[in-house]
Amino acid sequence: MDKFMETAIDEARTGINAGHGGPFGCVIVRDGKIVGRGHNEVVKRHDPTCHGEVMAIRDACKNLGTHDLKGCELYTTAEPCPMCAGAIMWANIKKVYYGCNINDTDRIGFRDKVFYEAPEDISEELHREECLEVFAEYQALRHKKNY
């Protein structure tokens, strides 16, 4: 078995045995070394965003001192949900390896499938002009500070 996937599986077991959340473990690898690890902590932290992939991304970013994980690969016990897939893309991770797919997670009671379907539209634009002012302020500061 791939050693990185084995470590992701160990992360999942650590989390479920501690009662932190579902069986989702993850590691992030750069240049053949683990730079971040995490497991599902939704129950522990009372936070629905604490999926294994997100926790591993946070750990890798902290360890590397950057928000850009370009050149990294991610190993996870289950196919990333849309939230995690978005986080993976924002982090610039180049490759994802996963164990179980969304049908497998569905069979053990997780509702990932619903997030791949067209969601009910729950959003509405509000106070766009005022928000555009904040965007303009950001642009001006960004040009001054070069970030």
Side-chain angles (χ1 to χ4, degrees), residues 20-42:
H20 292 173
F24 308 107
C26 182
V27 295
I28 296 175
V29 176
R30 178 183 277 171
D31 299 326
K33 295 180 186 157
I34 294 174
V35 296
R37 60 180 65 225
H39 58 263
N40 185 289
E41 295 188 33
V42 168

Side-chain angles (χ1 to χ4, degrees), residues 120-138:
E120 178 184 330
D121 189 5
I122 60 170
S123 59
E124 178 181 335
E125 189 176 287
L126 182 66
H127 297 293
R128 181 171 178 261
E129 292 304 318
E130 292 85 347
C131 294
L132 283 171
E133 289 175 20
V134 176
F135 277 32
E137 291 170 26
Y138 168 76

Side-chain angles (χ1 to χ4, degrees), residues 2 19 27 39 48 54 60 78 84 91 97 113:
D2 180 278
V27 295
H39 58 263
V54 171
C84 292
Y97 299 96
K113 274 187 174 183

Side-chain angles (χ1 to χ4, degrees), residues 28-143:
I28 296 175
V29 176
R30 178 183 277 171
D31 299 326
K33 295 180 186 157
I34 294 174
V35 296
R37 60 180 65 225
H39 58 263
N40 185 289
E41 295 188 33
V42 168
V43 174
K44 175 186 177 185
R45 296 180 184 264
H46 306 290
D47 182 342
T49 67
C50 290
H51 290 194
E53 296 91 341
V54 171
M55 301 306 288
I57 288 169
R58 290 173 182 165
D59 188 50
C61 289
K62 180 184 77 174
N63 293 335
L64 296 173
T66 183
H67 61 278
D68 188 351
L69 300 179
K70 190 179 300 172
C72 290
E73 297 177 333
L74 185 145
Y75 294 76
T76 183
T77 55
E79 185 174 357
C81 72
M83 177 186 72
C84 292
I88 290 163
M89 288 187 281
W90 277 110
N92 295 315
I93 293 171
K94 69 176 183 174
K95 183 73 177 176
V96 174
Y97 299 96
Y98 64 88
C100 296
N101 61 44
I102 61 170
N103 292 319
D104 299 322
T105 57
D106 186 58
R107 278 192 285 280
I108 64 166
F110 288 86
R111 59 189 175 112
D112 291 28
K113 274 187 174 183
V114 70
F115 297 105
Y116 290 90
E117 299 165 3
E120 178 184 330
D121 189 5
I122 60 170
S123 59
E124 178 181 335
E125 189 176 287
L126 182 66
H127 297 293
R128 181 171 178 261
E129 292 304 318
E130 292 85 347
C131 294
L132 283 171
E133 289 175 20
V134 176
F135 277 32
E137 291 170 26
Y138 168 76
Q139 282 290 96
L141 283 172
R142 190 171 115 190
H143 290 300

